[in-house]
Amino acid sequence: MLKGVNLASAEFGEAFIPGTYEEHYIYPSQSEVDYFKSKKMNVIRLPFLWERLQPSLNQAFDQTEFGRLDGFVTQATAKNMYVILDPHNYARYRGTVIGSGQVSTAAFADLWSRLANTYKDNAYVIFGLMNEPHTMATEAWLAAANAATRAIRNTGATNLILVPGNAWTGASTWGDNWYGTPNATVLLDFVDPRNNYAIEVHQYFDADHSGKSPTCATTNGAEKLATFTAWLAANNKKGFLGEFAGANNATCKQAIESALQHIDNNRNYWIGWTWWAAGPWWGNYMYSITQPSGGGDAPQMSWLAPFLN
């Protein structure tokens, strides 16, 4: 089972494109990879920005930026750590939604064709198609996901693909229709020719599920995942919890433990999870599982530890 953390910081400074390295954004270090490996984690989700990697659509990657990403991936995977490539763009490029304006589904497929050609021989690289598509037609997101997946498989890549839904890919809203046709309906038409994929969802436990409040609205994290798990079971699909977190308090602790126990209890349908977040620039962020300035574990690390054995 995949169990790990989002090492976020390469996607920082989205208001500054491309931005200045080590001022607006930074890639995580290998010492952080080593730290989480020592905690018995085996996967890192690596957010980055599409515009920095590929400054012009359908054109070559920026070699300096690609060097940073590839350096991280190559070193981490050499340690038998899985790395999820995560274009942290919300199904947008320079603010334009994929499938509209100048950002075609073909341009999105081109990004993934280039990444797949680079990493198709590295089984420790996982392709996370996109972070949290939202405010678009669910059918438009499906078209983009299918196009990207075809492009990946056309390179010969067999790597695992993680496929999110619309509406910030919330687990607890998977069957809702307030955002359009429900993910639960549309994602049934996702097609991977190699059938090596999982559906990626995110779940926070504050009142609006945004992950912006330290107050969890429930102790029952399992309940927030249960309907999605039932959908996985009914449709013979696999799920992955790409983001979840809670601030350091008793209610959130119970919610997190409940959710992780639910995933452990449903291993036929869940392939793993990554906590949000850790990384070099988080400081006193309420969800960070490392203390600032090398101060050791944050309290939430102890919540995860029993599920890492």
Side-chain angles (χ1 to χ4, degrees):
M1 203 172 199
L2 298 167
K3 297 183 177 184
V5 65
N6 288 262
L7 275 184
S9 56
E11 85 286 16
F12 284 13
E14 63 274 11
F16 303 94
I17 299 297
T20 302
Y21 190 63
E22 296 184 332
E23 178 180 345
H24 298 120
Y25 72 105
I26 193 169
Y27 275 79
S29 70
Q30 289 302 307
S31 64
E32 291 163 314
V33 175
D34 296 341
Y35 170 82
F36 288 110
K37 185 174 183 181
S38 78
K39 298 295 182 182
K40 301 184 179 178
M41 290 183 175
N42 63 357
V43 60
I44 300 297
R45 185 169 180 252
L46 180 68
F48 62 92
L49 291 185
W50 181 3
E51 300 91 343
R52 286 191 179 125
L53 182 63
Q54 191 178 35
S56 299
L57 294 173
N58 301 299
Q59 300 298 316
F61 291 160
D62 179 273
Q63 285 305 296
T64 301
E65 185 68 8
F66 173 71
R68 294 173 182 134
L69 183 145
D70 188 54
F72 179 89
V73 172
T74 299
Q75 292 178 68
T77 58
K79 299 167 182 174
N80 298 332
M81 290 288 279
Y82 289 91
V83 174
I84 300 166
L85 298 179
D86 166 39
H88 211 76
N89 281 75
Y90 306 91
R92 285 152 173 78
Y93 182 91
R94 300 188 189 276
T96 299
V97 175
I98 297 169
S100 69
Q102 299 301 307
V103 184
S104 65
T105 56
F108 181 53
D110 174 80
L111 167 72
W112 275 110
S113 179
R114 293 172 192 272
L115 287 168
N117 267 312
T118 301
Y119 294 114
K120 62 185 178 182
D121 296 322
N122 188 338
Y124 283 95
V125 177
I126 298 168
F127 299 151
L129 292 182
M130 177 57 61
N131 181 68
E132 296 188 353
H134 69 85
T135 319
M136 63 191 301
T138 313
E139 293 85 353
W141 167 244
L142 174 72
N146 277 337
T149 300
R150 283 193 301 272
I152 288 167
R153 298 309 185 209
N154 284 344
T155 69
T158 61
N159 309 57
L160 175 67
I161 294 173
L162 299 179
V163 189
N166 190 21
W168 296 272
T169 200
S172 60
T173 58
W174 197 250
D176 291 0
N177 63 8
W178 54 264
Y179 52 83
T181 315
N183 289 319
T185 300
V186 174
L187 268 292
L188 293 175
D189 292 325
F190 173 76
V191 177
D192 174 8
R194 294 199 66 92
N195 199 35
N196 184 26
Y197 72 95
I199 303 296
E200 179 184 335
V201 291
H202 296 175
Q203 190 62 52
Y204 294 94
F205 303 101
D206 46 349
D208 65 358
H209 307 137
S210 67
K212 294 178 180 177
S213 170
T215 302
C216 287
T218 182
T219 59
N220 192 348
E223 184 179 42
K224 296 294 184 181
L225 303 179
T227 301
F228 177 70
T229 302
W231 180 84
L232 294 173
N235 295 287
N236 193 32
K237 296 191 183 298
K238 305 291 187 184
F240 181 81
L241 187 59
E243 291 184 19
F244 69 105
N248 181 30
N249 58 68
T251 304
C252 290
K253 180 176 186 288
Q254 290 178 68
I256 295 298
E257 290 172 343
S258 171
L260 291 181
Q261 191 61 59
H262 176 82
I263 289 174
D264 266 6
N265 292 347
N266 290 278
R267 285 171 173 249
N268 287 344
Y269 311 115
W270 288 92
I271 66 166
W273 48 262
T274 42
W275 174 273
W276 183 270
W281 281 5
W282 281 111
N284 292 312
Y285 177 54
M286 63 183 174
Y287 295 157
S288 176
I289 51 171
T290 48
Q291 299 279 31
S293 304
D297 294 349
Q300 292 97 318
M301 191 69 219
S302 67
W303 308 352
L304 304 183
F307 300 94
L308 292 168
N309 293 325

